[in-house]
Every structure is written in structure tokens, then in C-alpha cells.
Amino acid sequence: MKKLQLKNDFSHFKEMFVKYKYLLSELTRKNVKLKYRDSWLGIVWSFLQPLLNMIVLTVVFGNLLGRDSSKVICYPIYLFTGRLMYEFFTSSTKKALMSFRVNAGIIKKVYVPKYMYPLSGILSNFVTFAISIICLICVWVFFKLTGIQNGSDLTVTWHALFCWVPMLIMLIFVTGVGLILSVLHVYFRDVEYIWDVACTLMFYMVPIIYHFSKIETDWIIVLIKINPLYSMIELFRQCVLYSIDMSWKMLLYSFAWAVGTLALGIFVFNKKSDDLIFHM
């Protein structure tokens, strides 16, 4: 019975997605424009923000955590790749979480499928994330040519062409988490503050500024490994930093988490979407 219900939820979600795909495209485009509407540099911030974050974190943590070149090929790139994936996760889930409160006035007046609001916020951040990849390429070339921070050890192979795989898995995972958070936030406003704290904790519980080999406590190693964010970030690094084949175990594990979370998100969203308007 539950499998049938889940199948019906997926079918309904797919039908609505196809029917309103052009509206979703317009909402996504609007969110991208609004994000940089009042700034002088506009979309250039998609390049500057991750670059400045990388510079600051490299200066602060580089000598402390990035000296071992046998573990970290080029610390700034190691930091950049992890930060990009993590930033997409946190910014997108927070955008989805706030989507109903921000658009409450419109939701009460005009009928639009409610999933449009969290999903368009997530997709607009994915566009920004994709643009930031261009900045990653430029930074990678800079360190490769200059040899700074062991940049001369960087190599590029055909593995880099598959970087879209962990990016897509992350998008699916974020969509599921975003749908769940968007519903929870309508009923429990404290979710906003709890999620802020959770995101801060996750930044330090996932190897972004440090390498996994520096962890020696067994239970912390297990805690990191079961976190799907670790697998997704590591898969991305295997493509663009290490230039090796993606780990099939990590790939299957992260994909299972992504699909499972999306299924749960769609189930929760369909279950509560009709009641949301009464709690806004």
C-alpha cells in the first residue's frame, strides 16, 4: 500500500512538473535576477564569493591543515571544491526552507503549484553553482601554471567530464531535503534557527577545510562516513581534483540517499501541501 502511494506521489509530481515546466523556468530566472538586482557587480559575485572564501580560508587554515601534499594535492583547490558543494547544499536548503514565508502573499491570492516555490529557489542556486564552476576552472589553471601550493601536481583527465554526476546527485538530494524543510518550517518556525546551527555543525563534520586522514577517533570517522554529504563532495573531488575513477560504493551510497530523500520529500509535501495555506 505504501509503495502504491509513493508511486502515485511520484506520478503526480512528474505530471505537475511537466505541465508547469515553463512557469518553473520563469520563476527560476526571476530568482537569479533578484539575487543580484541591487548590486553593482551583479552575477560577477558568483565568481567573487567562492574565490574570496577560498582565499580567506586558505590563509587561515592553509599552513595548519594543508601542508601534507601526499594527502592534499593543492589545498586551495581542495578547499574550493568542498566549499562549492557545501555552499550549494546550505544556500539551496535555506532558500527552500524560507520559500513559503517569503511568498505567502502570492500563495494566498494566486494558484500556483506549491512545489514551484522551493524548487525554483533550489534551481536558481544550482544555476549560480554551475556558473561558479567556471571560477573553479580559472583558479585550477592559475595554480597549475604558477605551481603555488603544489599546484604543479594538479592533473586533468577525462574523469573531469563526469563531475556532473555528483552535482546531479547533490541536486536530487537537496531537492528532497528542501521539500521537507519547506513543509516543516510552515508548522514549526524554529526549524529556521535549528537548521542554521545544523549547517554550521556540518561544515566542520565534513572534510572541507581538513583532510579525512587527520581524523583518528573511530566514532567520528564513522559519523563522517555515514554523512551523505561526505560521499558527494568526495565524488566531486575524485573527478576534478584527484582525476581518478569515482568510488562505486560512494556513488551507490550517495545516490541511494538522494533518491530516498527525494521520495520522502515528495511524500511529505503531497501529504501536507493542501493544509499549508491554513498555517501561513
Side-chain angles (χ1 to χ4, degrees):
M1 191 69 180
K2 289 183 178 180
K3 289 183 178 180
L4 181 60
Q5 178 64 40
L6 189 59
K7 184 177 180 180
N8 291 334
D9 289 338
F10 264 111
S11 298
H12 177 70
F13 191 82
K14 181 180 178 181
E15 289 174 6
M16 297 293 283
F17 182 84
V18 173
K19 184 177 180 180
Y20 292 96
K21 61 182 179 179
Y22 296 110
L23 177 59
L24 179 61
S25 176
E26 288 301 317
L27 286 174
T28 301
R29 188 179 294 110
K30 184 200 76 171
N31 285 335
V32 173
K33 291 180 179 178
L34 287 177
K35 185 174 183 179
Y36 302 108
R37 181 178 59 181
D38 297 324
S39 67
W40 288 358
L41 296 178
I43 204 167
V44 175
W45 281 111
S46 298
F47 299 90
L48 286 181
Q49 186 175 4
L51 180 62
L52 293 175
N53 282 330
M54 181 205 71
I55 293 173
V56 172
L57 291 175
T58 299
V59 171
V60 174
F61 297 107
N63 289 329
L64 180 64
L65 301 172
R67 289 182 176 179
D68 189 356
S69 59
S70 65
K71 301 295 183 182
V72 180
I73 296 176
C74 179
Y75 185 72
I77 303 298
Y78 178 87
L79 186 62
F80 204 129
T81 50
R83 180 72 186 181
L84 272 184
M85 293 285 279
Y86 170 80
E87 187 64 30
F88 169 61
F89 173 79
T90 55
S91 61
S92 297
T93 51
K94 288 178 182 178
K95 185 85 171 180
L97 183 149
M98 296 295 295
S99 59
F100 289 132
R101 178 186 287 188
V102 173
N103 296 288
I106 300 176
I107 294 172
K108 292 178 181 179
K109 295 177 181 178
V110 181
Y111 173 74
V112 174
K114 295 181 181 65
Y115 77 86
M116 288 282 185
Y117 299 103
L119 191 55
S120 62
I122 292 170
L123 290 178
S124 64
N125 276 336
F126 187 74
V127 171
T128 304
F129 173 46
I131 293 173
S132 299
I133 297 297
I134 300 174
C135 183
L136 172 60
I137 294 172
C138 295
V139 172
W140 190 98
V141 171
F142 170 79
F143 282 103
K144 176 64 176 178
L145 294 178
T146 60
I148 299 173
Q149 292 279 336
N150 299 312
S152 56
D153 293 336
L154 290 169
T155 57
V156 61
T157 65
W158 57 270
H159 295 93
L161 298 175
F162 291 95
C163 67
W164 61 270
V165 175
M167 290 171 63
L168 181 59
I169 292 174
M170 178 67 85
L171 176 61
I172 296 171
F173 181 64
V174 165
T175 302
V177 175
L179 289 175
I180 296 170
L181 289 175
S182 65
V183 173
L184 289 177
H185 188 241
V186 173
Y187 294 94
F188 310 103
R189 298 300 171 92
D190 289 343
V191 170
E192 175 184 352
Y193 309 108
I194 294 172
W195 190 244
D196 275 337
V197 175
C199 287
T200 302
L201 292 176
M202 280 188 285
F203 179 77
Y204 295 103
M205 288 304 296
V206 178
I208 295 174
I209 61 175
Y210 59 88
H211 193 267
F212 185 78
S213 62
K214 291 187 176 294
I215 306 299
E216 298 179 354
T217 308
D218 291 339
W219 69 269
I220 294 181
I221 292 175
V222 173
L223 191 63
I224 291 174
K225 283 187 174 182
I226 64 175
N227 187 341
L229 281 181
Y230 165 70
S231 296
M232 296 173 195
I233 291 174
E234 194 63 21
L235 286 170
F236 186 68
R237 283 173 171 156
Q238 287 172 1
C239 293
V240 302
L241 179 60
Y242 304 129
S243 295
I244 60 175
D245 292 330
M246 286 185 287
S247 167
W248 284 104
K249 290 183 179 179
M250 285 187 177
L251 190 61
L252 292 174
Y253 181 74
S254 58
F255 183 73
W257 260 98
V259 174
T261 305
L262 178 61
L264 179 61
I266 292 174
F267 174 78
V268 171
F269 197 84
N270 285 341
K271 195 80 171 176
K272 296 294 183 181
S273 60
D274 293 335
D275 299 329
L276 293 178
I277 194 170
F278 300 111
H279 297 272
M280 291 182 184

